[in-house]
Amino acid sequence: MGNDVYVVGIDMIKFGRFPETSVSKLAAQAALGALDDAGVSIKDIQALWCGNLMQASNMVGQQLLQEIGQTGIGVVNCANACATGATAFRDAWMSIKAGIYDLVLAVGVEQMGKGLLGGAGGGKGISKEGLVGSLTMPAVFAEAGMEHSRKYGTTFAQFAKVSVKNHHHSTMNPKAMYQIETPLEAVMGAEMISYPNTKLMCSVNVDGSAAAVLCSEKKARELGLGRAVKVRASVLTSDPWQERDLVMPDVNSCTRLAAKQAYEMAGVGPDDISLVELHDCFATAELLHYENLGLCADGEAGRLIDEGETALGGRVPVNCSGGLLSKGHPLGATGIANLYEVATHLRGEADKRQVNGARFGLTHVIGLGSACAIHILEKPA
Amino acid sequence: MSDKSVEARPLPAVPFLKIPAEGSPYLEALKCGACGALYLAERVACGKCAARGGFSPTRLANRGTLYSYSIVCRSFPGIEVPYVSAIVDLEGGGTVKGNLIGVAPEPAKLSFGMPVEVVFKDALGRKDREGHSYLSYFFQPRA
Ligand SMILES: [Zn+2]
């Protein structure tokens, strides 16, 4: 028997704003959904990885078990910026790969506030925001997008088309925060936040949770392989040194490094990938990652979005869920929610937005700072 | 005992801005003795080559070109918008981020590679809790 790792249960809640509940109760909803999907009980779970960013010092994983069953299992609470959920998933995967456990749970959860993300300055001295440039996230990702414009002539309209596409996809995803069409004029005409990112080109701050039950091949055979999704690759990288990374947080080189390793580990290439959920925290970011993930050659991302190759029905649909732009971006939950979307397609259960014949799917998240996690999943045998 | 004449001098807005007692302010990087990589703050060892050989202060040029930018139209409360957040490659090495002034914050007025110079001015009137003034750096177009 091999030592492959399978996802036998996975779920996410509909993303939204839930200020009246607690982070552990949000986590509990997804955790119970994933356990039910796997047909197992919390009493069967041997260890828990809990990803959460904003309350990372509060033992959210243990709080979760207080909500759903205090079985005494080991709990790891992890935070890794926007790669938090994917990191929890990957560490759970490693524990099975290492032969320590047969059946474990990974959860990602976040309860967000409203408003701009980014460094507000403060501390000693004076605020630096708007004095020596901007550290707000829309500006940081705008500058990364404009670097692509500099190299390849990518236009405002091409970046905006990413939002048109992802919002369109979300109209078919009942778990997305928004289900609204946003035509190109609406996207480009929305309030400018940080050129070229308008308000409709920024991810939505939402609360959310997602969870996955992972198991060994032995356990998967016991539980039934019918809907078991195989994890073909799991990779985590950080940002290697780059000439401008003192002032431009680099989301490209860590993604390229992770993609290369993930394709090698999975034994597949970009042409084998049926769908991708990638980190579209801002519309500008999505185009960069087409090239970083090898979905096209360098400089071709603008053409890809123009020709609809990454839209549902295209050559390699990207962010069928609606992406962070429309489904929403609850930081710590995002990594596992991406895995949920891809697993749902591989199981043939994505309903109106189903990518037909999906065999391999890739998930990608970036935590600025930077962390990149990529997973490649394969459809049930 | 405080020396009022010293207190009246502005403080640097960022640690890599140096204000000598004599002469003009300038930006200063730290250069890895092994590989030449530049940093704007101290590091234990070099992020690029991991050498522990130490760093030497290097004065950065006051001229450069616009590498990338964003026009910031919404920021935190109290921050005046719009403004241009610019990434500038300096002549002789080093990349610095700052506000680009002296040009309308419009895409049509900005071009990649446009020549800019570093100028030093008061930090937009911002003062710390003790009331100190600060000197900051800005980029502006040059001919
Ligand atoms: Zn070095």
Side-chain angles (χ1 to χ4, degrees):
Chain A
M1 192 166 305
N3 73 335
D4 284 321
V5 177
Y6 290 81
V7 177
V8 285
I10 191 158
D11 200 9
M12 65 176 272
I13 66 166
K14 176 180 161 61
F15 288 173
R17 299 213 170 92
F18 311 110
E20 70 288 351
T21 190
S22 68
V23 71
S24 53
K25 285 188 164 61
L26 280 180
Q29 291 178 52
L32 292 178
L35 291 169
D36 291 352
D37 186 39
V40 300
S41 152
I42 188 64
K43 292 178 181 171
D44 302 316
I45 295 294
Q46 297 168 306
L48 165 66
W49 277 260
C50 183
N52 173 267
L53 197 56
M54 309 295 248
Q55 301 181 46
S57 57
N58 289 356
M59 305 294 260
V60 172
Q62 284 83 348
Q63 288 181 38
L64 164 61
L65 291 185
Q66 288 160 21
E67 299 283 351
I68 66 169
Q70 289 172 254
T71 57
I73 56 172
V75 175
V76 179
N77 292 288
C78 87
N80 210 10
C82 302
T84 290
T87 303
F89 181 93
R90 174 175 157 77
D91 281 15
W93 170 86
M94 283 200 292
S95 77
I96 295 169
K97 216 57 180 167
I100 310 288
Y101 301 118
D102 281 312
L103 188 70
V104 301
L105 179 63
V107 178
V109 63
E110 205 70 57
Q111 215 173 5
M112 306 271 294
K114 277 185 141 183
L116 270 179
L117 292 178
K124 285 193 339 196
I126 51 174
S127 167
K128 312 298 188 299
E129 183 62 29
L131 177 65
V132 289
S134 181
L135 285 179
T136 61
M137 289 298 114
V140 165
F141 280 91
E143 287 159 3
M146 291 305 280
E147 182 182 42
H148 196 271
S149 298
R150 174 196 179 93
K151 286 181 183 161
Y152 306 116
T154 323
T155 64
F156 175 28
Q158 286 173 321
F159 290 126
K161 284 178 186 175
V162 170
S163 269
V164 176
K165 169 181 70 74
N166 292 357
H167 280 100
H168 171 65
H169 287 167
S170 73
T171 63
M172 292 170 272
N173 182 5
K175 289 189 171 178
M177 168 76 181
Y178 293 125
Q179 287 92 15
I180 45 161
E181 297 285 357
T182 58
L184 187 60
E185 317 79 74
V187 173
M188 294 180 74
E191 180 192 351
M192 184 57 71
I193 303 296
S194 211
Y195 180 87
N197 284 321
T198 68
K199 190 170 186 182
L200 286 175
M201 295 162 72
C202 300
S203 54
V204 194
N205 284 354
V206 296
D207 307 326
S209 61
V213 176
L214 294 89
C215 73
S216 62
E217 184 162 341
K218 174 166 158 280
K219 192 73 186 176
R221 286 183 190 281
E222 266 176 54
L223 293 167
L225 285 167
R227 291 170 68 251
V229 173
K230 189 189 282 188
V231 182
R232 288 288 297 257
S234 174
V235 171
L236 181 67
T237 59
S238 60
D239 48 330
W241 187 90
Q242 291 292 318
E243 194 183 350
R244 295 185 183 83
D245 65 10
L246 300 176
V247 293
M248 288 188 83
D250 176 31
V251 298
N252 297 314
S253 46
C254 56
T255 297
R256 286 178 185 240
L257 195 57
K260 182 169 183 291
Q261 292 175 19
Y263 290 130
E264 276 172 19
M265 190 183 291
V268 303
D271 292 344
D272 300 309
I273 301 294
S274 309
L275 77 154
V276 173
E277 287 285 308
L278 62 73
H279 204 74
D280 59 328
C281 50
F282 296 90
T284 45
E286 179 163 320
L287 293 191
L288 308 181
H289 295 314
Y290 292 172
E291 294 167 18
N292 293 334
L293 295 173
L295 306 183
C296 62
D298 286 352
E300 288 188 2
R303 181 185 64 76
L304 234 60
I305 191 75
D306 281 342
E307 296 181 1
E309 290 199 20
T310 55
L312 200 53
R315 178 172 64 85
V316 56
V318 171
N319 290 331
C320 296
S321 66
L324 282 50
L325 290 172
S326 192
K327 176 177 65 181
H329 183 24
L331 313 181
T334 288
I336 298 180
N338 287 355
L339 288 155
Y340 167 81
E341 179 69 15
V342 166
T344 302
H345 286 267
L346 297 175
R347 287 164 153 187
E349 298 171 0
D351 199 18
K352 279 187 270 185
R353 64 186 192 283
Q354 177 68 41
V355 173
N356 293 317
R359 180 165 178 217
F360 295 104
L362 182 150
T363 65
H364 160 264
V365 286
I366 289 275
L368 206 68
S370 295
C372 176
I374 291 181
H375 288 91
I376 295 175
L377 304 181
E378 182 178 5
K379 80 177 178 75
Chain B
M1 286 225 313
S2 65
D3 181 338
K4 296 287 181 202
S5 67
V6 170
E7 273 194 3
R9 291 182 58 206
L11 300 168
V14 294
F16 58 91
L17 193 167
K18 303 297 173 188
I19 308 175
E22 306 281 325
S24 307
Y26 59 94
L27 301 180
E28 183 181 89
L30 293 163
K31 185 182 243 177
C32 171
C35 77
L38 295 172
Y39 297 94
L40 298 175
E42 284 179 25
R43 299 232 173 150
V44 173
C46 177
K48 182 181 184 187
C49 77
R52 304 183 198 176
F55 300 86
S56 54
T58 303
R59 191 169 173 146
L60 295 174
N62 278 344
R63 291 155 62 93
T65 54
L66 182 63
Y67 179 72
S68 187
Y69 67 89
S70 176
I71 301 163
V72 181
C73 300
R74 198 204 277 185
S75 186
F76 297 110
I79 307 293
E80 197 175 323
V81 290
Y83 66 91
V84 179
S85 175
I87 311 275
V88 168
D89 286 346
L90 297 172
E91 285 180 2
T95 301
V96 176
K97 180 165 173 164
N99 285 16
L100 174 59
I101 60 173
V103 59
E106 297 162 14
K109 296 288 193 309
L110 301 163
S111 57
F112 300 114
M114 68 188 270
V116 301
E117 62 187 345
V118 182
V119 293
F120 298 90
K121 292 174 185 285
D122 177 74
L124 303 176
R126 294 181 193 181
K127 292 185 177 5
D128 63 20
R129 285 199 199 91
E130 290 78 41
H132 291 120
S133 292
Y134 282 78
L135 186 73
S136 192
Y137 65 90
F138 300 85
F139 305 117
Q140 69 182 25
R142 67 179 157 87

